[in-house]
Amino acid sequence: MPPNTSSALSSEPEAEETPRADTDDTAARRRVVPEHEVKTLLGEYGVDVPVSRTFTNVAQAADAVSGLSGPLVLKAWGPGLVHKSDVGAVVLGLTAREIPAAVADMAASLDRQGLTPSGYLVEQQHPGGIELIAGVVRDATFGHVVLLGLGGVATEMLDLSALRVAPLSRADAAELVDSFPGAPLLHGARGREAVNREALIEFLLSIAGEGSLVEHLGDTLAEFECNPIVVTASGVQALDARLIVESTTDIPAATPEHPTDFTRLFAPRGIAIAGASSSRSTFGNRFLAAYRQAGWTDNLCALHPDASSIDGVPAYSSISDVPYPVDYLVVAVPAAAAPKVVADAAASGVGFVHVVTGGFAEMGSAGAILQAELGQAASGTATRILGPNCLGVFAPRGRQTFTLGAPSEPGVVSVVSQSGGLSGDMITVGSRRGIRFSKLVSIGNAIDVTQGELVDWLVDDPETRIIGIYLEGTRDGAALLGALQRAAGKKPVVILRGGSSAQGSVAVSSHTGSMASNEKVWAAVSRSTGAVQVRSLEDFLSCLTYLQHYIDHSPNTDADGVLVIGLGGGASVLATDTCDRAGLELTPLRDELRTRLRDLGYGAGTSVANPLEVPVGPASPTSILVDALTPVFARGGQQYQDVLVHVNAAAYYNYGTAGIRPLIDTLQSLVEAELPVRVAVVVRNTEVCPAVDVELLDVFASDSGLPMYRSFSEAASAIASAQDFDARRGNGA
């Protein structure tokens, strides 16, 4: 750490409090560090800054600027001067002789606005180059994020910027330089030289890489910005710099001293239910029924003050009376009674307590007080709390369940979900799509067990090969980010976020802060980790289905993108548009393949380019898709990463009488062909199918494992998730 790094934080008399919104309760006090001190700090990290002088009044101006060569820039600094150009606190193009008069004019103008500068800064003006903005802001979820974009006066209006999460690796910095929206300008245009790309990368690493300014300031750094930096063929210079620090910082979420082994959460040796009734049906009774259906005949009991058995299951008055080790306690009692039950469980050494009950922080201030009491009930013990306000755990291998009729066949997909209701949907709908779950856990309010630590554990779980996450917010963003980074290239991760549009943000004073939107931060997380983000439950399940079916597929990263095949016309156009929006490339078939396909009878009045149009319908042979695809993938043919097949269910009723069976036979031939490529099938217009035929399609999809979708959007999202993981895995990330 440079010896004077703390100087910018020790200038209390020179600094000022920034205005903040009344709703910003977390930032009790923020200070703007004077620009000249920020630039001194940047210099200690190897950043080039202009030659400058500081002084406090007109009388000192002439002596202060002696020896500086023009043109010069005059700036004022002090309380209320956060955005200097807005109040006339910046003047360009001055000579040394003009500085005293310019200072007097600036002081008079600021005085009329009720502003009194603490001092003035004069710098040698840069001859010019490409102006960029580079900044860092502390995101409430993931910590510091880094922004690079086009700078200058139109920064926010244009918002041509991109983000990455800190700390930056050299690869991160290089990708940010090469991919932000203004990147083409750096290569030279209209006779300009290309800029010094390496110098820009080094600048970003100086402010936000390992051992950088960001790392050493830590959570005291609220906002940092250089707007502009000027980039030329010779290097990078920071012309303006703003640093806002906090004297108080948010307290991070508590994490266990030693990581928890969640094995017994998913495969408990013994289970107890608190809240089952001997006289009526409650959530507790439903859990008892679900566990009995899952195969629990021993080591399952109810806790009840009077009954000796409930619904045929032994009952005990206290957790301490249970004659076997209880790894998992389901708490389905009223919210007010839950803390006592949890405290008793913690005293008895129960490993995991799952609080089903709602009525805590999600209900307002009174519920928040009760939630704090609930958390305190297990504080300082080895007992971990799942929830409250959640459905719990589903894990077929460990006979963990929370719903009747749940599938019993285990798989390789594991999901961490903040929502209990959606967890049930994932199991029921997902199983009809062919998803086989290894583990699914609903965490609700997550007062103790969090997304980050569960995902981190799943990264190393040998029974989990694909990870899904549904979240609405998280208090352990750093842990979640670390887990996603560990998963990169090892296990594909699919994320569905809920409520993102409602998330508030802390009031910001910099352009960087205002442009670092929640959506951009999450996009940066995806780029950094390879985690795929989707916008609907349908797309979420579609991606999990596709990844599950093809997790052992060996990707050919030299293959072309996607081949679309199906009935022609507008459907092929829509498929193409959807693939394009998903970032998928439809590489045309080579000329010799087109000729061969036409010789085989395809393409009369239709396309054999890509999309490849074939008349799939009730009158076509069931081998039609395989017959068309075989020459494409034959020796000497053309390789694709994925094939998107689309068929029209309505055609089997409009032009046929056998119902959906011929279509299922056609898709079965596709399964049996075992083509050396991933295949996604879109079955459109299933609304016209009788319910019995829809059931046949669902059963076929589940039994065959062939990924089948109802829309092009779902299929394109699924294919994109697999190709993204291919790229990450292929790069050895």
Side-chain angles (χ1 to χ4, degrees):
M1 179 175 179
N4 296 323
T5 298
S6 62
S7 62
L9 305 181
S10 62
S11 54
E12 190 77 33
E14 302 285 3
E16 60 179 285
E17 292 190 15
T18 65
R20 66 181 191 277
D22 292 338
T23 56
D24 182 8
D25 297 326
T26 60
R29 183 165 174 260
R30 286 186 170 187
R31 296 187 294 113
V32 178
V33 179
E35 181 181 346
H36 63 282
E37 293 191 14
V38 183
K39 287 181 173 175
T40 298
L41 184 58
L42 286 172
E44 294 171 3
Y45 284 89
V47 175
D48 184 31
V49 296
V51 176
S52 64
R53 303 284 190 273
T54 60
F55 52 92
T56 58
N57 54 55
V58 176
Q60 299 172 351
D63 290 339
V65 301
S66 177
L68 293 181
S69 57
L72 302 175
V73 179
L74 171 67
K75 303 178 183 180
W77 52 271
L81 299 177
V82 178
H83 296 290
K84 300 179 182 67
S85 58
D86 292 347
V87 293
V90 179
V91 180
L92 306 176
L94 298 171
T95 65
R97 182 177 298 178
E98 294 170 331
I99 290 294
V103 170
D105 290 343
M106 183 179 290
S109 173
L110 294 173
D111 183 65
R112 288 192 293 271
Q113 300 175 66
L115 299 170
T116 303
S118 299
Y120 299 89
L121 170 68
V122 174
E123 298 177 325
Q124 292 186 172
Q125 187 170 318
H126 194 282
I130 295 177
E131 294 188 353
L132 303 180
I133 178 175
V136 179
V137 67
R138 198 179 71 208
D139 176 70
T141 300
F142 293 109
H144 292 117
V145 293
V146 185
L147 176 142
L148 181 68
L150 290 183
V153 294
T155 292
E156 286 188 62
M157 181 173 65
L158 297 177
D159 192 10
L160 297 176
S161 61
L163 276 70
R164 294 293 185 275
V165 290
L168 297 177
S169 66
R170 180 169 290 274
D172 290 332
E175 185 186 16
L176 189 53
V177 168
D178 294 337
S179 64
F180 85 101
L185 291 176
L186 306 181
H187 305 310
R190 296 182 180 272
R192 290 186 177 182
E193 285 186 279
V195 306
N196 189 330
R197 175 178 174 273
E198 286 302 313
L200 183 53
I201 291 172
E202 289 296 334
F203 168 80
L204 292 172
L205 292 174
S206 294
I207 64 170
E210 297 287 346
S212 65
L213 180 149
V214 168
E215 182 174 281
H216 289 306
L217 291 182
D219 284 343
T220 59
L221 190 157
E223 300 174 41
F224 166 80
E225 180 176 283
C226 290
N227 182 29
I229 59 172
V230 173
V231 189
T232 65
S234 59
V236 177
Q237 188 173 87
L239 302 191
D240 188 78
R242 178 181 297 123
L243 173 63
I244 299 174
V245 296
E246 294 185 3
S247 56
T248 59
T249 57
D250 294 336
I251 299 173
T255 55
E257 184 176 348
H258 302 290
T260 296
D261 181 358
F262 289 105
T263 300
R264 295 299 181 194
L265 176 68
F266 298 107
R269 294 168 296 178
I271 296 175
I273 313 292
S277 172
S278 59
S279 59
R280 58 191 176 89
S281 179
T282 68
F283 264 114
N285 296 82
R286 293 175 205 170
F287 271 92
L288 283 176
Y291 279 120
R292 293 181 70 184
Q293 189 182 79
W296 286 87
T297 56
D298 298 313
N299 293 357
L300 172 67
C301 72
L303 300 183
H304 193 279
D306 304 314
S308 60
S309 69
I310 295 178
D311 298 341
V313 174
Y316 302 93
S317 60
S318 169
I319 188 69
S320 61
D321 295 331
V322 180
Y324 55 81
V326 175
D327 291 322
Y328 192 75
L329 170 64
V330 178
V331 178
V333 302
K340 175 65 167 59
V341 176
V342 172
D344 290 346
S348 296
V350 175
F352 297 94
V353 178
H354 159 212
V355 182
V356 182
T357 315
F360 292 93
E362 76 278 6
M363 300 301 292
S365 57
I369 294 171
L370 189 59
Q371 180 164 296
E373 183 181 344
L374 183 72
Q376 192 63 34
S379 179
T381 73
T383 298
R384 302 299 307 277
I385 300 175
L386 190 67
N389 189 31
C390 69
L391 282 183
V393 178
F394 172 67
R397 287 185 186 89
R399 297 180 297 162
Q400 267 284 40
T401 188
F402 53 73
T403 182
L404 289 165
S408 58
E409 182 183 350
V412 297
V413 176
S414 291
V415 175
V416 180
S417 172
Q418 198 162 349
S419 166
L422 285 183
S423 296
D425 294 343
M426 291 173 192
I427 293 172
T428 55
V429 179
S431 65
R432 290 180 70 88
R433 291 179 175 230
I435 297 176
R436 300 293 179 261
F437 291 96
S438 173
K439 301 167 177 68
L440 186 149
V441 54
S442 159
I443 63 172
N445 295 9
I447 65 170
D448 181 22
V449 175
T450 61
Q451 292 105 328
E453 59 179 321
L454 282 167
V455 173
D456 192 63
W457 188 85
L458 291 172
V459 171
D460 297 319
D461 174 32
E463 297 172 353
T464 296
R465 302 186 67 189
I466 299 142
I467 298 173
I469 303 170
Y470 171 78
L471 81 168
E472 296 161 5
T474 180
R475 63 186 184 87
D476 68 338
L480 179 58
L481 178 61
L484 295 177
Q485 290 171 331
R486 287 210 312 118
K490 300 175 185 175
K491 297 182 179 181
V493 179
V494 183
I495 300 174
L496 172 62
R497 291 188 300 123
S500 58
S501 62
Q503 293 181 8
S505 60
V506 175
V508 294
S509 300
S510 65
H511 299 295
T512 300
S514 63
M515 292 191 296
S517 66
N518 187 264
E519 286 297 320
K520 281 192 172 183
V521 171
W522 272 97
V525 169
S526 288
R527 286 189 292 266
S528 173
T529 65
V532 173
Q533 291 188 62
V534 295
R535 295 184 177 275
S536 70
L537 179 61
E538 291 74 20
D539 286 353
F540 182 74
L541 296 175
S542 297
C543 291
L544 295 180
T545 305
Y546 203 68
L547 290 164
Q548 171 192 263
H549 189 68
Y550 293 111
I551 190 63
D552 290 320
H553 177 78
S554 298
N556 179 0
T557 54
D558 294 327
D560 290 321
V562 179
L563 174 66
V564 173
I565 178 172
L567 197 63
S572 288
V573 175
L574 293 176
T576 302
D577 290 344
T578 306
C579 287
D580 185 67
R581 286 192 294 270
L584 300 173
E585 183 178 0
L586 270 64
T587 311
L589 288 163
R590 293 197 292 264
D591 290 341
E592 60 270 24
L593 271 174
R594 295 191 210 180
T595 300
R596 187 175 178 189
L597 287 166
R598 289 197 184 279
D599 290 343
L600 291 171
Y602 298 101
T606 62
S607 169
V608 290
N610 189 5
L612 171 57
E613 298 181 356
V614 295
V616 185
S620 63
T622 57
S623 62
I624 185 170
L625 292 170
V626 175
D627 293 342
L629 290 171
T630 296
V632 176
F633 294 101
R635 183 186 297 269
Q638 188 168 348
Q639 298 302 307
Y640 285 89
Q641 292 174 287
D642 300 86
V643 171
L644 193 164
V645 176
H646 64 94
V647 294
N648 182 10
Y652 289 81
Y653 303 92
N654 295 338
Y655 306 105
T657 59
I660 208 69
R661 175 52 62 183
L663 173 57
I664 292 176
D665 292 341
T666 299
L667 297 178
Q668 179 63 36
S669 70
L670 198 59
V671 173
E672 294 172 355
E674 297 183 348
L675 295 169
V677 65
R678 292 182 299 229
V679 178
V681 177
V682 175
V683 182
R684 299 184 297 112
N685 298 325
T686 55
E687 294 86 353
V688 306
C689 301
V692 64
D693 282 0
V694 174
E695 180 69 18
L696 286 173
L697 279 171
D698 288 342
V699 170
F700 171 76
S702 180
D703 291 348
S704 69
L706 182 66
M708 291 173 55
Y709 308 106
R710 298 290 192 261
S711 71
F712 290 125
S713 174
E714 291 178 33
S717 294
I719 293 170
S721 71
Q723 291 195 2
D724 286 348
F725 183 63
D726 285 349
R728 181 70 59 162
R729 178 167 49 180
N731 290 334

PDB file of all heavy atoms in Angstrom, residues 648-653 659-660 663 683-697 710:
ATOM      1  N   ASN A 648     -45.559 -27.678 -36.031  1.00  0.00           N
ATOM      2  CA  ASN A 648     -46.841 -27.031 -35.766  1.00  0.00           C
ATOM      3  C   ASN A 648     -47.867 -28.082 -35.358  1.00  0.00           C
ATOM      4  O   ASN A 648     -48.327 -28.884 -36.177  1.00  0.00           O
ATOM      5  CB  ASN A 648     -47.307 -26.276 -37.017  1.00  0.00           C
ATOM      6  CG  ASN A 648     -48.617 -25.534 -36.793  1.00  0.00           C
ATOM      7  OD1 ASN A 648     -49.092 -25.422 -35.663  1.00  0.00           O
ATOM      8  ND2 ASN A 648     -49.198 -25.028 -37.868  1.00  0.00           N
ATOM      9  N   ALA A 649     -48.211 -28.092 -34.083  1.00  0.00           N
ATOM     10  CA  ALA A 649     -49.172 -29.087 -33.600  1.00  0.00           C
ATOM     11  C   ALA A 649     -50.521 -28.939 -34.290  1.00  0.00           C
ATOM     12  O   ALA A 649     -51.225 -29.939 -34.530  1.00  0.00           O
ATOM     13  CB  ALA A 649     -49.336 -28.951 -32.087  1.00  0.00           C
ATOM     14  N   ALA A 650     -50.901 -27.715 -34.625  1.00  0.00           N
ATOM     15  CA  ALA A 650     -52.215 -27.488 -35.237  1.00  0.00           C
ATOM     16  C   ALA A 650     -52.353 -28.226 -36.564  1.00  0.00           C
ATOM     17  O   ALA A 650     -53.462 -28.657 -36.934  1.00  0.00           O
ATOM     18  CB  ALA A 650     -52.441 -25.991 -35.435  1.00  0.00           C
ATOM     19  N   ALA A 651     -51.249 -28.395 -37.292  1.00  0.00           N
ATOM     20  CA  ALA A 651     -51.310 -29.068 -38.599  1.00  0.00           C
ATOM     21  C   ALA A 651     -51.800 -30.500 -38.476  1.00  0.00           C
ATOM     22  O   ALA A 651     -52.406 -31.050 -39.407  1.00  0.00           O
ATOM     23  CB  ALA A 651     -49.932 -29.035 -39.255  1.00  0.00           C
ATOM     24  N   TYR A 652     -51.565 -31.132 -37.340  1.00  0.00           N
ATOM     25  CA  TYR A 652     -51.955 -32.534 -37.167  1.00  0.00           C
ATOM     26  C   TYR A 652     -53.453 -32.694 -36.918  1.00  0.00           C
ATOM     27  O   TYR A 652     -53.966 -33.812 -36.880  1.00  0.00           O
ATOM     28  CB  TYR A 652     -51.138 -33.154 -36.033  1.00  0.00           C
ATOM     29  CG  TYR A 652     -49.686 -33.343 -36.445  1.00  0.00           C
ATOM     30  CD1 TYR A 652     -48.800 -32.270 -36.405  1.00  0.00           C
ATOM     31  CD2 TYR A 652     -49.237 -34.559 -36.930  1.00  0.00           C
ATOM     32  CE1 TYR A 652     -47.488 -32.419 -36.812  1.00  0.00           C
ATOM     33  CE2 TYR A 652     -47.919 -34.723 -37.346  1.00  0.00           C
ATOM     34  CZ  TYR A 652     -47.047 -33.650 -37.291  1.00  0.00           C
ATOM     35  OH  TYR A 652     -45.755 -33.797 -37.725  1.00  0.00           O
ATOM     36  N   TYR A 653     -54.146 -31.589 -36.773  1.00  0.00           N
ATOM     37  CA  TYR A 653     -55.599 -31.608 -36.633  1.00  0.00           C
ATOM     38  C   TYR A 653     -56.268 -30.971 -37.843  1.00  0.00           C
ATOM     39  O   TYR A 653     -57.337 -31.404 -38.273  1.00  0.00           O
ATOM     40  CB  TYR A 653     -56.022 -30.890 -35.352  1.00  0.00           C
ATOM     41  CG  TYR A 653     -55.368 -31.505 -34.138  1.00  0.00           C
ATOM     42  CD1 TYR A 653     -54.160 -31.012 -33.655  1.00  0.00           C
ATOM     43  CD2 TYR A 653     -55.941 -32.605 -33.512  1.00  0.00           C
ATOM     44  CE1 TYR A 653     -53.536 -31.596 -32.571  1.00  0.00           C
ATOM     45  CE2 TYR A 653     -55.321 -33.199 -32.424  1.00  0.00           C
ATOM     46  CZ  TYR A 653     -54.114 -32.692 -31.956  1.00  0.00           C
ATOM     47  OH  TYR A 653     -53.499 -33.287 -30.893  1.00  0.00           O
ATOM     48  N   GLY A 659     -54.519 -37.398 -34.870  1.00  0.00           N
ATOM     49  CA  GLY A 659     -54.124 -36.676 -33.666  1.00  0.00           C
ATOM     50  C   GLY A 659     -52.619 -36.462 -33.589  1.00  0.00           C
ATOM     51  O   GLY A 659     -51.933 -36.337 -34.609  1.00  0.00           O
ATOM     52  N   ILE A 660     -52.099 -36.443 -32.369  1.00  0.00           N
ATOM     53  CA  ILE A 660     -50.713 -36.062 -32.150  1.00  0.00           C
ATOM     54  C   ILE A 660     -49.742 -37.227 -32.304  1.00  0.00           C
ATOM     55  O   ILE A 660     -48.525 -37.034 -32.331  1.00  0.00           O
ATOM     56  CB  ILE A 660     -50.566 -35.444 -30.738  1.00  0.00           C
ATOM     57  CG1 ILE A 660     -49.414 -34.438 -30.710  1.00  0.00           C
ATOM     58  CG2 ILE A 660     -50.377 -36.524 -29.672  1.00  0.00           C
ATOM     59  CD1 ILE A 660     -49.674 -33.191 -31.511  1.00  0.00           C
ATOM     60  N   LEU A 663     -46.837 -37.053 -34.866  1.00  0.00           N
ATOM     61  CA  LEU A 663     -45.791 -36.114 -34.466  1.00  0.00           C
ATOM     62  C   LEU A 663     -44.869 -36.763 -33.434  1.00  0.00           C
ATOM     63  O   LEU A 663     -43.640 -36.637 -33.518  1.00  0.00           O
ATOM     64  CB  LEU A 663     -46.409 -34.838 -33.894  1.00  0.00           C
ATOM     65  CG  LEU A 663     -45.420 -33.839 -33.278  1.00  0.00           C
ATOM     66  CD1 LEU A 663     -44.355 -33.421 -34.279  1.00  0.00           C
ATOM     67  CD2 LEU A 663     -46.159 -32.615 -32.739  1.00  0.00           C
ATOM     68  N   VAL A 683     -42.673 -27.119 -30.144  1.00  0.00           N
ATOM     69  CA  VAL A 683     -43.981 -27.585 -30.615  1.00  0.00           C
ATOM     70  C   VAL A 683     -44.952 -26.424 -30.440  1.00  0.00           C
ATOM     71  O   VAL A 683     -45.362 -26.090 -29.330  1.00  0.00           O
ATOM     72  CB  VAL A 683     -44.459 -28.820 -29.835  1.00  0.00           C
ATOM     73  CG1 VAL A 683     -45.803 -29.300 -30.392  1.00  0.00           C
ATOM     74  CG2 VAL A 683     -43.424 -29.931 -29.910  1.00  0.00           C
ATOM     75  N   ARG A 684     -45.310 -25.801 -31.544  1.00  0.00           N
ATOM     76  CA  ARG A 684     -46.157 -24.610 -31.495  1.00  0.00           C
ATOM     77  C   ARG A 684     -47.643 -24.988 -31.489  1.00  0.00           C
ATOM     78  O   ARG A 684     -48.037 -26.042 -31.944  1.00  0.00           O
ATOM     79  CB  ARG A 684     -45.872 -23.704 -32.696  1.00  0.00           C
ATOM     80  CG  ARG A 684     -44.448 -23.198 -32.771  1.00  0.00           C
ATOM     81  CD  ARG A 684     -44.257 -22.222 -33.936  1.00  0.00           C
ATOM     82  NE  ARG A 684     -44.495 -22.858 -35.240  1.00  0.00           N
ATOM     83  CZ  ARG A 684     -45.503 -22.579 -36.037  1.00  0.00           C
ATOM     84  NH1 ARG A 684     -46.403 -21.663 -35.686  1.00  0.00           N
ATOM     85  NH2 ARG A 684     -45.643 -23.198 -37.208  1.00  0.00           N
ATOM     86  N   ASN A 685     -48.446 -24.068 -30.976  1.00  0.00           N
ATOM     87  CA  ASN A 685     -49.907 -24.143 -31.069  1.00  0.00           C
ATOM     88  C   ASN A 685     -50.495 -25.376 -30.387  1.00  0.00           C
ATOM     89  O   ASN A 685     -51.475 -25.959 -30.869  1.00  0.00           O
ATOM     90  CB  ASN A 685     -50.357 -24.101 -32.544  1.00  0.00           C
ATOM     91  CG  ASN A 685     -49.949 -22.808 -33.226  1.00  0.00           C
ATOM     92  OD1 ASN A 685     -49.943 -21.751 -32.598  1.00  0.00           O
ATOM     93  ND2 ASN A 685     -49.585 -22.893 -34.498  1.00  0.00           N
ATOM     94  N   THR A 686     -49.949 -25.766 -29.248  1.00  0.00           N
ATOM     95  CA  THR A 686     -50.515 -26.903 -28.516  1.00  0.00           C
ATOM     96  C   THR A 686     -51.880 -26.573 -27.914  1.00  0.00           C
ATOM     97  O   THR A 686     -52.575 -27.472 -27.432  1.00  0.00           O
ATOM     98  CB  THR A 686     -49.558 -27.342 -27.392  1.00  0.00           C
ATOM     99  OG1 THR A 686     -49.276 -26.218 -26.546  1.00  0.00           O
ATOM    100  CG2 THR A 686     -48.263 -27.890 -27.961  1.00  0.00           C
ATOM    101  N   GLU A 687     -52.262 -25.305 -27.962  1.00  0.00           N
ATOM    102  CA  GLU A 687     -53.584 -24.924 -27.443  1.00  0.00           C
ATOM    103  C   GLU A 687     -54.716 -25.633 -28.193  1.00  0.00           C
ATOM    104  O   GLU A 687     -55.803 -25.822 -27.646  1.00  0.00           O
ATOM    105  CB  GLU A 687     -53.789 -23.409 -27.544  1.00  0.00           C
ATOM    106  CG  GLU A 687     -52.866 -22.585 -26.660  1.00  0.00           C
ATOM    107  CD  GLU A 687     -51.531 -22.295 -27.312  1.00  0.00           C
ATOM    108  OE1 GLU A 687     -51.266 -22.857 -28.407  1.00  0.00           O
ATOM    109  OE2 GLU A 687     -50.750 -21.514 -26.751  1.00  0.00           O
ATOM    110  N   VAL A 688     -54.462 -26.021 -29.450  1.00  0.00           N
ATOM    111  CA  VAL A 688     -55.521 -26.677 -30.226  1.00  0.00           C
ATOM    112  C   VAL A 688     -55.610 -28.168 -29.910  1.00  0.00           C
ATOM    113  O   VAL A 688     -56.556 -28.833 -30.339  1.00  0.00           O
ATOM    114  CB  VAL A 688     -55.287 -26.481 -31.740  1.00  0.00           C
ATOM    115  CG1 VAL A 688     -55.133 -25.021 -32.085  1.00  0.00           C
ATOM    116  CG2 VAL A 688     -54.077 -27.284 -32.224  1.00  0.00           C
ATOM    117  N   CYS A 689     -54.645 -28.691 -29.188  1.00  0.00           N
ATOM    118  CA  CYS A 689     -54.619 -30.131 -28.900  1.00  0.00           C
ATOM    119  C   CYS A 689     -55.618 -30.482 -27.802  1.00  0.00           C
ATOM    120  O   CYS A 689     -55.743 -29.750 -26.812  1.00  0.00           O
ATOM    121  CB  CYS A 689     -53.229 -30.572 -28.443  1.00  0.00           C
ATOM    122  SG  CYS A 689     -51.898 -30.275 -29.614  1.00  0.00           S
ATOM    123  N   PRO A 690     -56.302 -31.599 -27.932  1.00  0.00           N
ATOM    124  CA  PRO A 690     -57.093 -32.097 -26.806  1.00  0.00           C
ATOM    125  C   PRO A 690     -56.185 -32.354 -25.606  1.00  0.00           C
ATOM    126  O   PRO A 690     -54.990 -32.638 -25.762  1.00  0.00           O
ATOM    127  CB  PRO A 690     -57.690 -33.404 -27.340  1.00  0.00           C
ATOM    128  CG  PRO A 690     -57.601 -33.303 -28.821  1.00  0.00           C
ATOM    129  CD  PRO A 690     -56.403 -32.467 -29.121  1.00  0.00           C
ATOM    130  N   ALA A 691     -56.730 -32.271 -24.422  1.00  0.00           N
ATOM    131  CA  ALA A 691     -55.935 -32.431 -23.206  1.00  0.00           C
ATOM    132  C   ALA A 691     -55.193 -33.757 -23.185  1.00  0.00           C
ATOM    133  O   ALA A 691     -54.045 -33.840 -22.733  1.00  0.00           O
ATOM    134  CB  ALA A 691     -56.833 -32.304 -21.979  1.00  0.00           C
ATOM    135  N   VAL A 692     -55.817 -34.804 -23.702  1.00  0.00           N
ATOM    136  CA  VAL A 692     -55.161 -36.110 -23.689  1.00  0.00           C
ATOM    137  C   VAL A 692     -53.917 -36.116 -24.565  1.00  0.00           C
ATOM    138  O   VAL A 692     -52.918 -36.782 -24.252  1.00  0.00           O
ATOM    139  CB  VAL A 692     -56.157 -37.217 -24.117  1.00  0.00           C
ATOM    140  CG1 VAL A 692     -56.602 -37.018 -25.571  1.00  0.00           C
ATOM    141  CG2 VAL A 692     -55.549 -38.596 -23.915  1.00  0.00           C
ATOM    142  N   ASP A 693     -53.944 -35.362 -25.668  1.00  0.00           N
ATOM    143  CA  ASP A 693     -52.775 -35.308 -26.546  1.00  0.00           C
ATOM    144  C   ASP A 693     -51.663 -34.457 -25.940  1.00  0.00           C
ATOM    145  O   ASP A 693     -50.476 -34.757 -26.116  1.00  0.00           O
ATOM    146  CB  ASP A 693     -53.172 -34.762 -27.920  1.00  0.00           C
ATOM    147  CG  ASP A 693     -53.870 -35.820 -28.775  1.00  0.00           C
ATOM    148  OD1 ASP A 693     -54.036 -36.952 -28.280  1.00  0.00           O
ATOM    149  OD2 ASP A 693     -54.239 -35.508 -29.922  1.00  0.00           O
ATOM    150  N   VAL A 694     -52.036 -33.372 -25.243  1.00  0.00           N
ATOM    151  CA  VAL A 694     -51.029 -32.578 -24.532  1.00  0.00           C
ATOM    152  C   VAL A 694     -50.328 -33.443 -23.492  1.00  0.00           C
ATOM    153  O   VAL A 694     -49.109 -33.392 -23.324  1.00  0.00           O
ATOM    154  CB  VAL A 694     -51.671 -31.343 -23.868  1.00  0.00           C
ATOM    155  CG1 VAL A 694     -50.646 -30.607 -23.000  1.00  0.00           C
ATOM    156  CG2 VAL A 694     -52.230 -30.399 -24.916  1.00  0.00           C
ATOM    157  N   GLU A 695     -51.120 -34.289 -22.803  1.00  0.00           N
ATOM    158  CA  GLU A 695     -50.549 -35.206 -21.819  1.00  0.00           C
ATOM    159  C   GLU A 695     -49.575 -36.174 -22.489  1.00  0.00           C
ATOM    160  O   GLU A 695     -48.498 -36.467 -21.955  1.00  0.00           O
ATOM    161  CB  GLU A 695     -51.668 -35.973 -21.114  1.00  0.00           C
ATOM    162  CG  GLU A 695     -51.188 -36.964 -20.073  1.00  0.00           C
ATOM    163  CD  GLU A 695     -50.595 -36.304 -18.839  1.00  0.00           C
ATOM    164  OE1 GLU A 695     -50.855 -35.101 -18.619  1.00  0.00           O
ATOM    165  OE2 GLU A 695     -49.853 -36.991 -18.107  1.00  0.00           O
ATOM    166  N   LEU A 696     -49.920 -36.676 -23.672  1.00  0.00           N
ATOM    167  CA  LEU A 696     -49.024 -37.577 -24.402  1.00  0.00           C
ATOM    168  C   LEU A 696     -47.702 -36.890 -24.743  1.00  0.00           C
ATOM    169  O   LEU A 696     -46.634 -37.492 -24.627  1.00  0.00           O
ATOM    170  CB  LEU A 696     -49.708 -38.074 -25.680  1.00  0.00           C
ATOM    171  CG  LEU A 696     -50.813 -39.112 -25.520  1.00  0.00           C
ATOM    172  CD1 LEU A 696     -51.494 -39.374 -26.862  1.00  0.00           C
ATOM    173  CD2 LEU A 696     -50.248 -40.412 -24.946  1.00  0.00           C
ATOM    174  N   LEU A 697     -47.789 -35.627 -25.169  1.00  0.00           N
ATOM    175  CA  LEU A 697     -46.567 -34.878 -25.474  1.00  0.00           C
ATOM    176  C   LEU A 697     -45.709 -34.701 -24.231  1.00  0.00           C
ATOM    177  O   LEU A 697     -44.482 -34.858 -24.273  1.00  0.00           O
ATOM    178  CB  LEU A 697     -46.922 -33.513 -26.065  1.00  0.00           C
ATOM    179  CG  LEU A 697     -47.279 -33.454 -27.551  1.00  0.00           C
ATOM    180  CD1 LEU A 697     -47.823 -32.076 -27.907  1.00  0.00           C
ATOM    181  CD2 LEU A 697     -46.064 -33.781 -28.412  1.00  0.00           C
ATOM    182  N   ARG A 710     -42.586 -24.740 -25.840  1.00  0.00           N
ATOM    183  CA  ARG A 710     -43.822 -24.225 -26.434  1.00  0.00           C
ATOM    184  C   ARG A 710     -43.585 -22.940 -27.230  1.00  0.00           C
ATOM    185  O   ARG A 710     -44.474 -22.475 -27.922  1.00  0.00           O
ATOM    186  CB  ARG A 710     -44.849 -23.935 -25.335  1.00  0.00           C
ATOM    187  CG  ARG A 710     -45.273 -25.164 -24.528  1.00  0.00           C
ATOM    188  CD  ARG A 710     -46.123 -26.117 -25.345  1.00  0.00           C
ATOM    189  NE  ARG A 710     -46.751 -27.129 -24.510  1.00  0.00           N
ATOM    190  CZ  ARG A 710     -46.280 -28.363 -24.355  1.00  0.00           C
ATOM    191  NH1 ARG A 710     -45.165 -28.721 -24.994  1.00  0.00           N
ATOM    192  NH2 ARG A 710     -46.900 -29.228 -23.591  1.00  0.00           N
TER     193      ARG A 710
END
